Amino acid sequence: MFMTMEKKADFKVYAKNYDIYRTADFELLETAIDSLKIDTSMRVLDFGCGTGNYLKAFQMKGYNNLFGLDQSEEMCKIASEKSTAIIKKGSHVNVPYEDDYFDAIIVIDVVHFITDINFLFNSLWRICKNNGRVFIATQSHTQLETRIYSKYFP
C-alpha cells in the first residue's frame, strides 16, 4: 500500500470520509509543540494539512497564526470549514509562500506521498525562517501497510 509514483492517492474520493478514519493525535501534537518550542505568536504551517485536523487541534489550544497547505482542493475546502487557518492549495513542488515566512512547519504523515524528497526539503528550507523549525512525523513502510484504515486511505 506504500504510495509510489506509479500509484497515486485519489484524495478527491478520500476527502469525503477522511475524518471517519483520521483524527489529530494530541500526544503527537504536544510532541511537535514541545520539540519546536512553538508559542502562540508564531506563524505555523501544517504542510499536507489534509482536512485540517491538526490545524483545528492547534486552534483549540489557542494558536491562531495558522496556515495549511494541501494538494487536494477537496481536502482544503474541508480544512477551511474546520478552523480559521489560512488554507492554500499546493504541493512540495508548488509552495505558494514567500521565502522565510514560517516560524514552524509540521509535516505529519505526508512524506510517503512525496516522490522527490529532496525537492520537499528544499521547499521547506525556503519557506522556513532562518531560526525556524520543522517537525516531520511518519511511519515505517510496515506500519503504513498494516494500519487498520490503510485499505480505505493511504
Side-chain angles (χ1 to χ4, degrees):
M1 185 67 179
F2 184 74
M3 304 313 298
T4 64
M5 288 183 0
E6 292 80 33
K7 184 173 183 176
K8 291 187 142 196
D10 185 355
F11 286 102
K12 186 173 186 173
V13 173
Y14 296 152
K16 295 174 189 170
N17 297 313
Y18 190 85
D19 287 341
I20 294 170
Y21 300 97
R22 297 270 183 104
T23 61
D25 178 335
F26 286 91
E27 186 176 330
L28 184 60
L29 179 68
E30 285 300 324
T31 300
I33 291 169
D34 292 344
S35 297
L36 301 182
K37 298 178 180 21
I38 302 173
D39 67 50
T40 56
S41 69
M42 292 177 149
R43 191 178 291 157
V44 179
L45 172 66
D46 182 354
F47 188 97
C49 68
T51 60
N53 292 328
Y54 282 96
L55 293 168
K56 180 179 178 181
F58 265 113
Q59 193 168 335
M60 289 169 51
K61 295 182 71 51
Y63 293 83
N64 291 306
N65 203 3
L66 302 170
F67 299 78
L69 179 73
D70 201 273
Q71 67 180 0
S72 166
E73 192 171 322
E74 291 77 12
M75 295 280 200
C76 288
K77 182 178 183 297
I78 295 168
S80 294
E81 295 167 356
K82 280 188 186 175
S83 77
T84 59
I86 297 169
I87 310 295
K88 291 187 178 182
K89 185 177 184 293
S91 71
H92 68 292
V93 295
N94 179 24
V95 181
Y97 293 104
E98 62 190 63
D99 295 358
D100 304 316
Y101 194 71
F102 294 103
D103 299 293
I105 301 171
I106 64 166
V107 184
I108 299 176
D109 279 341
V110 173
V111 295
H112 59 284
F113 294 107
I114 305 299
T115 55
D116 186 341
I117 200 77
N118 288 328
F119 208 107
L120 169 67
F121 288 131
N122 287 331
S123 295
L124 295 175
W125 177 267
R126 181 184 66 75
I127 62 174
C128 195
K129 290 181 178 179
N130 287 336
N131 293 325
R133 303 165 190 117
V134 177
F135 179 87
I136 298 175
T138 192
Q139 298 174 338
S140 72
H141 292 261
T142 302
Q143 289 169 318
L144 288 169
E145 292 167 356
T146 59
R147 55 187 181 186
I148 189 93
Y149 52 82
S150 285
K151 68 180 182 179
Y152 306 106
F153 302 104

